[in-house]
Amino acid sequence: MLKFTKQQVVAEYLPDTVSPQSMKTFSFAPSNIALCKYWGKRDAELNLPINSSLSVSLAHLGSKTRILLSDTEQDQVVLNDELLAADNSFAVKVIAFIDMFRRGADHKVRVETENNIPTAAGLASSASGFAALMQAVNEFYRLELDLSLQSAFARMGSGSASRSLFTGFVEWQMGQREDGMDSIAAPLAAQWPELRIGLIKVSTAQKPVDSRSGMNRTVATAHLYQSWPMQAAADLSQLHTAIETQDFKLLGQTAEQNALSMHATMIASWPPLLYWQADSVTAMHKIWQLRAEGLSLYFTMDAGPNLKVLFNTADEAEICKQFPDMQVITPFGNQ
Ligand code: PMV
């Protein structure tokens, strides 16, 4: 049973009429990688999570979006300079998001989005995509919503988008309210300039099961999922300690165990859900072997086969030698 629809929740915070104005510049939002993952919804309509999560943003890698008034008969969505078909699943989601704010007003829009996340890197763009779209909507309709409200509304487009309104370490509080207005993200003050994230591409093909269906399947069928909220709460608190004390070993260990625990719940679903490929497992063994030999590196993985390697700049040269094709990201800028 639906408690609140998105439209009902958003309407509380909007003026009676909107006054759209074409944007001259693009809004930008960074992508993010969760160190403590969001996995499982307590409300599928509002994307309210079962657990709180914590991520690190990917600095200049993300999405930029602008919205223009259009005199066409249909709305238009352009992704990386390509006009999408009206029934394209991304275009449908973007227009549904716009409709939460347009509320039947008589105008058409042209939404232009560009991702500078190399699509070939196998990184999700939905987080940065919906965060940039939220910022663009705020400007286009001149709503003047603060970042907390934007985080709550971006979450309705994609859960992880709530964290992409901010840079650095970001925590998304699960919240308790039925309308979800306390389920918002906020940045942590701490920085970690030496932190590096390496991307190991195993496959860039579209994943067969998207994260929404994957979460639903896990929550509905895996008894093992019952332990996940406990694991996530413990990991979140460890990550806070690791970040406050700049303890890289604790950060890496917690992030890796958190990701593997999430994947364990997926594997225990029915039908089983295994995003890994043979090359994913080979890369895990290589990381464990290098760690046994004294290198300090850990990995995390999302709902896909690619690995994101965590390390500090002191080990960068040696780790890059071991993984020559790995793309390295500096979440806090070059140090
Ligand atoms: O925001 P969604 O619906 O794409 O879900 C993201 C799920 C994970 O990437 C696996 C975890 C996370 O917290 O980002």
Side-chain angles (χ1 to χ4, degrees):
M1 194 187 64
L2 269 186
K3 293 174 195 128
F4 287 95
T5 63
K6 296 183 185 98
Q7 289 75 8
Q8 277 171 335
V9 173
V10 171
E12 289 289 311
Y13 299 87
L14 299 184
D16 291 340
T17 53
V18 286
S19 44
Q21 191 177 51
S22 287
M23 293 167 66
K24 293 195 179 64
T25 55
F26 285 77
S27 294
F28 171 80
S31 185
N32 73 75
I33 301 285
L35 304 176
C36 177
K37 309 291 183 188
Y38 147 55
W39 196 250
K41 299 175 202 278
R42 64 183 162 89
D43 182 312
E45 162 78 6
L46 303 176
N47 284 342
L48 297 178
I50 286 174
N51 63 282
S52 299
S53 55
L54 194 151
S55 61
V56 58
S57 105
L58 295 189
H60 63 285
L61 290 183
S63 308
K64 61 178 196 170
T65 297
R66 71 171 175 174
I67 308 174
L68 305 172
L69 274 168
S70 173
D71 52 15
T72 47
E73 276 187 18
Q74 300 294 329
D75 294 316
Q76 295 185 326
V77 178
V78 178
L79 176 63
N80 294 338
D81 292 326
E82 190 197 325
L83 178 63
L84 301 180
D87 62 353
N88 172 284
S89 66
F90 178 71
V92 169
K93 282 189 214 152
V94 166
I95 297 306
F97 193 82
I98 299 274
D99 281 337
M100 292 182 349
F101 302 88
R102 179 162 52 186
R103 292 178 299 163
D106 186 21
H107 60 267
K108 297 292 175 209
V109 296
R110 175 181 169 93
V111 181
E112 297 177 351
T113 295
E114 284 168 33
N115 293 328
N116 70 357
I117 312 169
T119 20
L123 273 183
S125 55
S126 72
S128 55
F130 279 98
L133 181 61
M134 179 63 245
Q135 289 176 324
V137 161
N138 193 44
E139 199 181 318
F140 179 70
Y141 287 120
R142 296 187 267 183
L143 300 176
E144 297 182 7
L145 302 171
D146 66 24
L147 282 174
S148 296
L149 283 176
Q150 291 187 48
S151 170
F153 297 158
R155 167 192 22 93
M156 298 178 191
S158 166
S160 52
S162 64
R163 300 185 306 241
S164 271
L165 269 308
F166 308 97
T167 55
F169 294 114
V170 180
E171 182 173 0
W172 171 18
Q173 296 281 353
M174 59 181 285
Q176 305 292 338
R177 285 171 54 153
E178 288 199 342
D179 68 357
M181 291 313 290
D182 56 352
S183 184
I184 53 179
L188 307 189
Q191 306 268 312
W192 198 314
E194 301 79 20
L195 186 66
R196 298 288 179 269
I197 299 178
L199 304 176
I200 298 185
K201 294 171 226 171
V202 168
S203 164
T204 55
Q206 175 121 30
K207 50 192 170 198
V209 180
D210 64 19
S211 44
R212 172 174 287 268
S213 329
M215 284 184 207
N216 290 347
R217 188 191 299 181
T218 311
V219 175
T221 66
H223 292 300
L224 198 60
Y225 183 78
Q226 305 219 335
S227 66
W228 169 252
M230 244 178 346
Q231 176 79 43
D235 291 343
L236 191 63
S237 130
Q238 301 250 66
L239 286 170
H240 274 289
T241 308
I243 291 167
E244 273 154 32
T245 58
Q246 303 270 295
D247 181 341
F248 178 70
K249 191 173 169 201
L250 185 62
L251 183 94
Q253 217 167 280
T254 309
E256 186 171 307
Q257 192 177 14
N258 181 270
L260 289 171
S261 302
M262 174 183 75
H263 281 274
T265 69
M266 300 175 189
I267 298 167
S269 305
W270 198 263
L273 188 56
L274 183 65
Y275 285 104
W276 305 347
Q277 293 181 9
D279 287 346
S280 317
V281 179
T282 304
M284 288 180 204
H285 282 290
K286 182 161 176 182
I287 288 167
W288 291 328
Q289 179 61 36
L290 291 171
R291 212 152 70 210
E293 290 165 13
L295 265 184
S296 195
L297 76 170
Y298 298 84
F299 67 86
T300 181
M301 292 177 79
D302 292 299
N306 304 305
L307 281 78
K308 288 109 190 182
V309 187
L310 302 167
F311 52 95
N312 266 329
T313 182
D315 293 316
E316 185 167 350
E318 184 54 33
I319 292 170
C320 288
K321 220 187 283 170
Q322 295 291 339
F323 297 100
D325 298 331
M326 187 173 74
Q327 182 185 350
V328 178
I329 296 168
T330 55
F332 294 91
N334 268 314
Q335 289 277 328

